[in-house]
Amino acid sequence: DTAVSQTPKYLVTQMGNDKSIKCEQNLGHDTMYWYKQDSKKFLKIMFSYNNKELIINETVPNRFSPKSPDKAHLNLHINSLELGDSAVYFCASSLRPEGRQETQYFGPGTRLLVL
Amino acid sequence: GNSVTQMEGPVTLSEEAFLTINCTYTATGYPSLFWYVQYPGEGLQLLLKATKADDKGSNKGFEATYRKETTSFHLEKGSVQVSDSAVYFCAQGGSEKLVFGKGMKLTVNP
């Protein structure tokens, strides 16, 4: 009964490849997020979707493309992977999009290593 | 723009020591304030939060008080345990997104 799940947990791939990370939440939330955490633990938001619509799109290379087939799922596709994409990617969800008060629930993370 | 500044560490303490992790914020308006904790190998989880000035959030022996006059939300625990070893993130809730501090790694030794 995991609240926010991500697959895969680990991803090791070569530079130039294309890969996808999947996220699912069973909390009935309307809003989902992708974050990137670098090797120094710094956490930066990448995207947010509310009810399948993109509402936050930070300064992220257009090699990164999120897709939300329904409000319980938010996937992240990365084209032409680069060494600098190596990081831990976290999916999160919240009941509503307002960051002011909403608690976000995080998945366990996907550890991406680009060789 | 909105930002959060927190102690970065890493910090190592002995079990039963007192813990303070400083956090200050800059914001327009009055954001909600959060402390999230990330245990080794896991995602972040909410530790506590406060939504208005003078509110105190508390959980698992941790406390933090929303201080508007000093724009601070310092995290404290009177007696840390080995199981508190984790990375602690201060965050503020803006209109659409959370803004996180850089995180502070805490190691508690027996």
Side-chain angles (χ1 to χ4, degrees):
Chain A
D1 59 343
T2 305
V4 182
S5 59
Q6 296 179 226
T7 54
K9 189 167 183 180
Y10 298 97
L11 187 52
V12 181
T13 188
Q14 298 288 328
M15 223 166 38
N17 284 350
D18 303 339
K19 290 293 178 186
S20 291
I21 308 171
K22 296 187 174 182
C23 178
E24 176 180 1
Q25 54 93 4
N26 62 7
L27 297 167
H29 288 170
D30 282 349
T31 310
M32 296 183 74
Y33 310 81
W34 277 112
Y35 288 88
K36 179 180 180 181
Q37 186 177 48
D38 64 23
S39 58
K40 295 185 179 179
K41 301 293 187 183
F42 183 58
L43 200 66
K44 191 171 188 302
I45 190 166
M46 301 172 70
F47 303 103
S48 174
Y49 272 73
N50 182 54
N51 219 352
K52 301 193 296 174
E53 289 196 18
L54 181 67
I55 57 171
I56 294 175
N57 185 355
E58 293 291 291
T59 307
V60 175
N62 58 16
R63 298 181 294 104
F64 291 79
S65 51
K67 195 164 287 187
S68 182
D70 55 63
K71 70 177 190 178
H73 295 85
L74 180 61
N75 304 324
L76 183 65
H77 188 75
I78 315 170
N79 288 326
S80 303
L81 278 155
E82 300 178 357
L83 296 177
D85 298 332
S86 297
V88 182
Y89 292 84
F90 286 103
C91 178
S93 73
S94 64
L95 185 60
R96 287 177 292 268
E98 297 93 16
R100 199 187 117 61
Q101 292 200 32
E102 292 299 315
T103 299
Q104 292 188 15
Y105 295 81
F106 284 76
T110 295
R111 286 143 188 84
L112 171 65
L113 178 61
V114 182
L115 303 174
Chain B
N2 296 350
S3 67
V4 173
T5 303
Q6 65 170 110
M7 289 170 60
E8 290 184 31
V11 168
T12 301
L13 296 174
S14 298
E15 208 164 24
E16 299 183 6
F18 183 83
L19 170 71
T20 299
I21 306 176
N22 289 340
C23 172
T24 57
Y25 67 91
T26 59
T28 52
Y30 303 104
S32 292
L33 301 172
F34 304 81
W35 277 101
Y36 280 81
V37 60
Q38 183 180 23
Y39 297 105
E42 298 183 11
L44 280 73
Q45 55 185 272
L46 180 70
L47 181 59
L48 52 84
K49 71 178 185 181
T51 58
K52 61 183 188 295
D54 300 325
D55 268 2
K56 178 188 282 189
S58 60
N59 185 24
K60 299 182 181 180
F62 290 89
E63 290 184 342
T65 301
Y66 191 142
R67 301 282 187 204
K68 189 176 73 172
E69 62 277 12
T70 54
T71 61
S72 65
F73 193 54
H74 305 321
L75 184 69
E76 295 184 337
K77 185 173 185 180
S79 176
V80 293
Q81 305 300 311
V82 172
S83 57
D84 294 326
S85 298
V87 181
Y88 292 82
F89 293 88
C90 185
Q92 63 159 299
S95 58
E96 290 179 330
K97 61 184 181 182
L98 285 181
V99 176
F100 285 90
K102 291 189 174 182
M104 194 209 81
K105 183 175 181 180
L106 171 68
T107 302
V108 180
N109 292 325

